[in-house]
Amino acid sequence: MMFGETTTDHGREIKVSFGYQCDGKFDNSHDIPKGYETSPEIKLRRASRSFSCLSGAALSANATLANTNICNGLIGAEILPTWDSPNSFRRIPSSPSLSKLDLLSSSLQSSTSNLSCSPSTPSEPPEYDSFSLKSWSAPSKSEGFLNAVEVQVAGGAAGEDRVQAVCSEENGWLYCGIYDGFNGRDAADFLAGTLYETIGVHLNLLDGVVKQDSVGDSVCLDLDGSLHYVWEDNGINHDSRISKTGRGDSIIGCLTKGISSAKMERSSHSFRYKVLDSLQRALSQAENDFLYMVEQEMEDRPDLVSVGSCVLVVLLHGKDLYTLNLGDSRALLATYGEGGGMNDKKLQAIQLTDSHTVDNEVERNQLIHDHPDDPATIVGGRVKGKLKVTRAFGVGYLKKKNLNDALMGILRVRNLSSPPYVSTQPSLNAHKISSSDHFVILGSDGLFDFFSNDEVVTLVHSYILNNPFGDPAKFLLEHLLVRAADSAGFTTEELISIPAGRRRKYHDDVTVIVIILGTNNRTLKASTCL
């Protein structure tokens, strides 16, 4: 169910809303739907959702161009309008994942062989040209990991931040992205226009990976979102556990007799690793494509070499919660812990992501270790005196000498002796949702300039208990504005009246998403402040 509301408040302050409330009509429908296609080797069953609603909010402080002109204008003019829906979720066909990438391909004609700035990973990506994935046969709309005929999408921009959500309640998955841009919004715009579809392509290619890794086996996705290998003998599935529909019909799917629980657990972990690896490969491709674009356009726009973005992606697929992050945005899990409950345990704030900044001792030591011959690796608490984050998307001038040379005068980094100085290696995590887990909070770093992890979880929990039909994300931002105004010696109204750009002195762009876990339906709103 989609809803949205637009209100005007605080004079020039414009507020637009997007939010999602699950209908719940898919919860007990375990039939394989008509027209639901799967490959013989990969039996991907519809996953039961593990979330009930979504609340998102963003507050701007930076002044930035409404639409950037990267990729010959295609990102701003052609691609982002198909994804952006700041007022409400809207339903769109789940078109073949390569459609928008094809559009960019004709413009960029890029090749990963020309781009070597991304750090090597333990699992090297396959040898193919960037955007050459379009030559692969596109999966059926109902086939593959993120299978869906239609999806609900919402998203918008706040200053240099971008927020994006894509949901398929019917198939039990939710994708959320927060792209915290800096030195401009171009990198965040590029991510909002391409990363979800790039991830979708790589995840759907898991079909081929599993075919290679499981000769004599097959993989299926159970109704709770878990994945198991299934042994097949001459086409006969062996299992003592066969799910039934309301009509008593057998569901073809996860049949596991004859497989030890230990093997099933190893298989489940192996597949989750492949999902995380696919997320990393997709990010690496997006980085390569973005920096290729920068190289093509930096003669006209040399500022592009300094544009970058932090990246926070959360993929909730059935009961599996995957996180990917670069930079200092955070994902928090509010949980009572194993065996806990509301009456006997305090709600805990578990940070699912790492903080990639020079303030993190592990990150700082690693950076110094990677550049032993450069005594000026960290200057004034910043990487080469320029950047506080140690890992980020874009910022090519800290990764390649030719991009640094495009800058003039004091903007250019002196003694860029051993690039790259900023990594594109993300932190990755997979968590199995349990009945003890209550909600997940995603936030850009501006949120944590004013609140600790525990404070954020406490505020959201208290608000949900007292306002079962309210908007916890919007509540967080309203609370942040009060705290920021108090810190600056203003009233909230005085702070809001300060124009974007000047207001950055008092708070950053802030983006928040709250995902309520479980399947108890409730109603809420979600807001983006531009």
Side-chain angles (χ1 to χ4, degrees):
M1 178 167 60
M2 294 160 285
F3 54 87
E5 178 178 309
T6 302
T7 61
T8 301
D9 196 3
H10 302 298
R12 293 190 301 268
E13 196 72 11
I14 300 174
K15 295 185 177 181
V16 292
S17 318
F18 73 86
Y20 189 84
Q21 163 70 39
C22 289
D23 288 322
K25 65 183 180 181
F26 302 110
D27 290 348
N28 298 317
S29 178
H30 291 170
D31 304 45
I32 294 180
K34 183 179 180 180
Y36 190 87
E37 303 174 13
T38 59
S39 63
E41 296 85 355
I42 312 299
K43 301 179 180 68
L44 282 168
R45 292 264 302 282
R46 188 171 62 208
S48 294
R49 64 175 172 86
S50 55
F51 63 97
S52 61
C53 52
L54 168 70
S55 171
L59 174 70
S60 64
N62 287 296
T64 188
L65 295 175
N67 286 297
T68 50
N69 199 40
I70 54 175
C71 301
N72 299 318
L74 285 174
I75 292 290
E78 301 289 338
I79 295 180
L80 285 177
T82 67
W83 287 121
D84 281 354
S85 183
N87 294 337
S88 67
F89 269 83
R90 58 185 171 89
R91 188 181 297 273
I92 64 172
S94 180
S95 57
S97 294
L98 299 164
S99 58
K100 297 181 182 66
L101 300 185
D102 281 341
L103 187 63
L104 275 181
S105 175
S106 63
S107 171
L108 295 182
Q109 294 296 314
S110 62
S111 169
T112 54
S113 62
N114 296 331
L115 301 157
S116 57
C117 55
S118 294
S120 60
T121 63
S123 178
E124 290 295 337
E127 293 293 332
Y128 52 70
D129 287 343
S130 195
F131 293 110
S132 68
L133 290 172
K134 62 180 171 33
S135 64
W136 294 58
S137 58
S140 163
K141 295 177 183 180
S142 58
E143 180 184 348
F145 191 79
L146 296 184
N147 53 301
V149 176
E150 290 183 317
V151 294
Q152 291 81 34
V153 301
E160 294 177 333
D161 279 14
R162 271 209 167 265
V163 58
Q164 186 174 52
V166 185
C167 173
S168 175
E169 179 189 350
E170 178 181 3
N171 295 288
W173 59 262
L174 170 68
Y175 172 96
C176 295
I178 292 178
Y179 316 123
D180 182 3
F182 50 86
N183 298 333
R185 209 178 69 205
D186 304 83
D189 281 351
F190 188 90
L191 288 164
T194 65
L195 185 58
Y196 163 74
E197 288 213 333
T198 304
I199 286 175
V201 171
H202 282 265
L203 287 174
N204 287 336
L205 290 177
L206 282 175
D207 292 6
V209 173
V210 176
K211 290 176 188 177
Q212 296 173 7
D213 291 351
S214 56
V215 177
D217 294 344
S218 65
V219 169
C220 57
L221 177 62
D222 208 347
L223 292 169
D224 66 353
S226 59
L227 291 118
H228 305 295
Y229 285 102
V230 179
W231 172 54
E232 294 185 348
D233 182 13
N234 296 324
I236 301 175
N237 293 289
H238 301 269
D239 195 357
S240 58
R241 176 175 61 83
I242 301 179
S243 301
K244 298 284 184 178
T245 68
R247 302 186 306 275
D249 299 325
S250 296
I251 297 179
I252 300 174
C254 289
L255 308 172
T256 56
K257 183 178 180 181
I259 302 179
S260 68
S261 59
K263 181 179 179 181
M264 288 169 55
E265 185 66 21
R266 287 195 301 270
S267 300
S268 182
H269 283 301
S270 175
F271 195 90
R272 292 189 185 103
Y273 172 83
K274 289 182 173 67
V275 172
L276 293 175
D277 185 60
S278 294
L279 295 178
Q280 179 172 315
R281 290 168 184 260
L283 179 65
S284 179
Q285 180 186 336
E287 164 87 353
N288 287 337
D289 293 332
F290 179 74
L291 291 184
Y292 178 87
M293 178 276 297
V294 170
E295 289 189 355
Q296 303 309 301
E297 302 186 14
M298 65 184 182
E299 183 175 349
D300 295 327
R301 283 197 58 194
D303 62 296
L304 284 176
V305 303
S306 64
V307 171
S309 181
C310 297
V311 183
L312 175 59
V313 167
V314 166
L315 175 62
L316 183 57
H317 191 278
K319 292 185 178 179
D320 289 323
L321 177 67
Y322 301 96
T323 58
L324 172 153
N325 83 290
L326 279 178
D328 50 7
S329 297
R330 300 182 197 176
L332 307 178
L333 173 69
T335 182
Y336 291 103
E338 289 299 324
M342 187 177 298
N343 297 324
D344 55 1
K345 276 195 176 183
K346 180 181 178 182
L347 199 64
Q348 304 173 35
I350 307 298
Q351 186 168 324
L352 301 175
T353 52
D354 296 325
S355 182
H356 303 144
T357 73
V358 292
D359 294 333
N360 182 334
E361 183 178 359
V362 174
E363 288 290 301
R364 183 172 64 252
N365 290 340
Q366 183 64 51
L367 186 62
I368 293 172
H369 176 270
D370 291 342
H371 303 277
D373 299 324
D374 187 351
T377 297
I378 299 176
V379 178
R382 294 175 177 268
V383 179
K384 298 301 290 183
K386 298 291 185 179
L387 200 61
K388 191 172 182 179
V389 293
T390 55
R391 309 190 201 186
F393 180 89
V395 286
Y397 77 124
L398 291 172
K399 296 175 179 178
K400 301 183 73 175
K401 287 185 177 180
N402 68 310
L403 298 184
N404 182 50
D405 291 342
L407 293 173
M408 302 292 291
I410 62 172
L411 297 177
R412 182 182 301 173
V413 177
R414 294 186 178 183
N415 301 320
L416 196 75
S417 58
S418 54
Y421 285 86
V422 174
S423 172
T424 318
Q425 180 78 31
S427 291
L428 300 157
N429 184 63
H431 172 78
K432 191 76 171 178
I433 298 296
S434 74
S435 59
S436 300
D437 299 333
H438 193 5
F439 54 84
V440 178
I441 302 171
L442 285 62
S444 57
D445 68 303
L447 177 66
F448 304 99
D449 288 340
F450 293 93
F451 301 111
S452 68
N453 292 352
D454 289 335
E455 285 179 308
V456 169
V457 166
T458 299
L459 283 168
V460 170
H461 185 223
S462 175
Y463 182 81
I464 290 172
L465 290 178
N466 293 293
N467 301 273
F469 304 109
D471 177 356
K474 180 181 176 182
F475 168 75
L476 271 180
L477 289 194
E478 291 173 341
H479 215 70
L480 182 145
L481 280 173
V482 172
R483 188 166 291 191
D486 287 344
S487 177
F490 298 137
T491 65
T492 304
E493 290 73 18
E494 288 172 337
L495 178 62
I496 291 175
S497 68
I498 298 174
R502 287 174 53 194
R503 202 192 314 160
R504 177 62 184 88
K505 179 179 178 181
Y506 306 105
H507 68 81
D508 198 357
D509 299 327
V510 186
T511 302
V512 179
I513 295 176
V514 178
I515 304 168
I516 308 297
L517 301 174
T519 56
N520 294 324
N521 296 323
R522 64 191 289 271
T523 303
L524 52 75
K525 300 175 183 177
S527 306
T528 302
C529 305
L530 300 178

